[in-house]
Amino acid sequence: MNIPESITIVEVGPRDGLQSEPRLVSTDKKIELIERLSDAGLKRIEITSFVSPKAVPQLSDSEEVAARLQRRPGARYCALTPNYRGLERAIRAGIDEIALFVSASETHNQKNVRMSISRSLGAFRQIGETALSRGMHMRGYVATAFGCEYEGRVSLDQVEKIVVEYIAMGVQEISLGDTTGMANPVAVGDMVRRLKPILGNTGLALHFHDTRGTGVANALAAIEEGAVIFDCSIGGLGGCPASRTASGNIATEDLVGMVHEMGISTGIDLEALIECARYAGEITGRNLPGHLVSAGKVNWQRQK
Ligand code: COA
Ligand code: ZN
């Protein structure tokens, strides 16, 4: 297999996970979770969203989370910004990195942010200029990149078009979101190979939801194609337990556990990460889908 020496994990649980948890988690507990994740060695964490509190009430405490968090040296804290107002809030909160987001499917983008794709991208130009002039990092999400629950299949051309626009705006990283868990390892390989020639210095992250149990297989397919940045959520937080079609990202501890066994490093302390997953279960009052909290880690050294 084509195996890199190391991969980068972007923890998105405090944002992507908690935004759809049915039970509100207190600000204190969110901060505690983020600090524990930093202490486990995660250097990149998406901590919240500066979106409309009516759209996402679970994250309406974003200013307070950002202000009270004890930031760890060397860590990069990211937040989702849907519009210029979101960027202004992120700047005031001292966020290091903003994440722009647009769906590859027109219907999904309308439902999510009530705009057409081209209007979203148009608005990002001004946001991007301001963010970059202030030295902020910037990533661009392409949601529903592997399929949409309303429109079905999404074409590689459509994803590529959005990626080209993001690169022109100067994002440092693209994150391809399999928002509804419709990807499979072959589709992932096709996508990564298609985008590689146009990426240049722009990073490519993969953001898999495990809706159909294919998340880790998809990540492995991406690793084989040379991808090294993965968005995960601690414990597999996210999705709505009442809905069969929404589910969380790959559990951070599951992906980290697997790649460590494969001889790929992440800079993360797996034992501490499993403790974080246990804590995430405690504060959401749920049995989260991640496997390692109950199964424990394996201690297998690769034989060559
Ligand atoms: N921060 C806080 N409030 C905001 C905001 C921001 N960045 N942007 C808009 N708002 C408020 C407006 O003030 C307005 O409030 P009011 O109803 O009290 O007057 C309300 O949100 C609607 O604003 P409007 O400009 O009419 O936008 P909209 O209704 O078309 O909604 C979004 C657009 C993008 C603001 C909204 O859909 C949103 O926040 N979506 C978040 C989606 C998300 O996070 N999805 C998950 C991640 S993929
Ligand atoms: Zn997501």
Side-chain angles (χ1 to χ4, degrees):
M1 283 179 73
N2 178 21
I3 290 180
E5 268 181 25
S6 66
I7 62 168
T8 297
I9 302 287
V10 180
E11 170 62 45
V12 298
R15 193 282 300 174
D16 202 347
L18 294 184
Q19 76 180 7
S20 47
E21 281 294 327
R23 198 189 284 185
L24 282 186
V25 173
S26 74
T27 308
D28 283 350
K29 287 173 179 161
K30 285 178 187 169
I31 292 171
E32 172 84 27
L33 176 65
I34 297 165
E35 290 177 352
R36 287 190 192 198
L37 288 162
S38 292
D39 291 339
L42 277 152
K43 294 278 186 242
R44 294 186 57 187
I45 309 179
E46 199 167 275
I47 59 170
T48 191
S49 286
F50 292 100
V51 296
S52 153
K54 279 186 197 147
V56 186
Q58 289 91 332
L59 302 182
S60 58
D61 58 355
S62 35
E63 267 82 9
E64 202 183 340
V65 169
R68 289 180 35 216
L69 181 68
Q70 295 284 322
R71 303 191 191 189
R72 304 302 194 248
R76 191 198 293 178
Y77 298 98
C78 175
L80 205 68
T81 52
N83 51 20
Y84 202 82
R85 177 152 165 217
L87 170 70
E88 290 173 328
R89 292 175 61 199
I91 291 171
R92 278 197 298 275
I95 293 294
D96 307 308
E97 178 175 57
I98 58 161
L100 304 171
F101 60 105
V102 66
S103 306
S105 127
E106 205 59 72
T107 315
H108 193 272
N109 205 59
Q110 278 292 351
K111 289 196 187 270
N112 198 27
V113 292
R114 309 190 347 144
M115 273 183 250
S116 66
I117 294 173
S118 71
R119 226 186 109 204
S120 281
L121 290 169
F124 291 165
R125 282 183 207 113
Q126 197 197 357
I127 301 175
E129 269 173 32
T130 306
L132 292 176
S133 74
R134 290 180 160 263
M136 295 170 103
H137 292 266
M138 184 160 73
R139 72 187 328 225
Y141 276 114
V142 187
T144 64
F146 295 93
C148 164
E149 71 233 79
Y150 310 107
E151 293 186 12
R153 181 169 278 190
V154 166
S155 74
L156 293 178
D157 288 346
Q158 169 70 356
V159 174
E160 184 175 344
K161 237 169 60 188
I162 295 171
V163 169
V164 165
E165 295 230 18
Y166 268 140
I167 292 173
M169 281 172 223
V171 303
Q172 289 99 355
E173 188 172 288
I174 304 285
S175 178
L176 294 181
D178 185 18
T179 311
T180 47
M182 293 165 88
N184 66 68
V186 169
V188 170
D190 291 345
M191 179 75 80
V192 176
R193 276 194 305 279
R194 165 69 84 97
L195 296 181
K196 243 187 234 169
I198 63 166
L199 284 168
N201 291 329
T202 311
L204 179 69
L206 281 305
H207 177 112
F208 295 119
H209 282 258
D210 203 24
T211 321
R212 295 180 172 77
T214 57
V216 168
N218 290 334
L220 189 60
I223 287 174
E224 285 232 75
E225 291 297 337
V228 291
I229 310 169
F230 293 91
D231 297 355
C232 300
S233 70
I234 190 70
L237 270 181
C240 171
S243 150
R244 277 156 41 97
T245 53
S247 96
N249 294 80
I250 313 175
T252 314
E253 67 278 14
D254 289 359
L255 188 66
V256 168
M258 182 182 83
V259 301
H260 282 186
E261 291 305 309
M262 293 165 65
I264 300 171
S265 66
T266 62
I268 296 167
D269 174 346
L270 182 56
E271 298 279 8
L273 194 62
I274 292 173
E275 279 312 307
C276 291
R278 194 165 283 132
Y279 184 64
E282 222 174 275
I283 65 178
T284 52
R286 284 218 284 140
N287 258 333
L288 295 176
H291 294 87
L292 296 202
V293 166
S294 48
K297 67 172 194 170
V298 186
N299 272 313
W300 184 76
Q301 290 296 314
R302 187 172 173 206
Q303 299 171 33
K304 293 193 191 172

